C-alpha cells in the first residue's frame, strides 16, 4: 500500500472552489427550511448535473438556487437542470 501523492496546489485550489460551490448550494437549500435536504438530491450523470427537489423543497427553487447550481455545474464543465417533483424546469 503506497502513500497517496499530494496534489499540486492548483488542483487543491480547484477542488476547494468546487467544494465551496457545492456547500453554498446545500446551505441555500438546507438553511431556508428544516428538512429540505431530505427532499433534495444532486446527481451527476455524465455531463449533466441535476438538482431534484420534491415536496416542500420545491418552494425553495428560485433564481439564487439556480445560480448556485449553475456555478457548481461550471466547475465540472457540465450542463445543469432542476427537476421539481419529477418535472424538468428550464431557465
Amino acid at each position: 500500500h503506497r502513500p497517496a501523492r499530494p496534489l499540486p496546489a492548483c488542483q487543491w485550489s480547484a477542488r476547494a472552489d468546487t467544494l465551496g460551490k457545492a456547500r453554498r448550494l446545500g446551505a441555500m437549500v438546507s438553511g431556508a427550511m428544516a428538512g429540505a435536504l431530505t427532499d433534495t438530491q444532486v446527481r451527476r450523470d455524465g455531463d449533466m448535473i441535476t438538482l431534484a427537489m420534491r415536496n416542500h423543497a420545491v418552494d425553495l427553487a428560485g433564481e439564487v438556487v439556480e445560480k448556485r447550481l449553475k456555478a457548481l455545474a461550471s466547475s465540472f464543465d457540465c450542463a445543469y437542470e432542476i427537476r421539481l417533483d419529477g418535472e424538468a424546469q428550464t431557465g
Side-chain angles (χ1 to χ4, degrees), residues 29 33-42 51-58 60 83-85:
V29 173
M33 182 182 296
L37 281 181
T38 60
D39 290 332
T40 305
Q41 180 184 41
V42 178
L51 171 63
M53 304 174 90
R54 59 187 173 90
N55 300 329
H56 296 295
V58 169
L60 301 173
R83 299 185 73 80
L84 304 178
D85 283 329

Side-chain angles (χ1 to χ4, degrees), residues 25 40-43 49-53 65 69 81-83:
L25 175 62
T40 305
Q41 180 184 41
V42 178
R43 181 177 59 238
I49 292 185
T50 302
L51 171 63
M53 304 174 90
V65 168
L69 179 62
E81 72 174 351
I82 298 174
R83 299 185 73 80

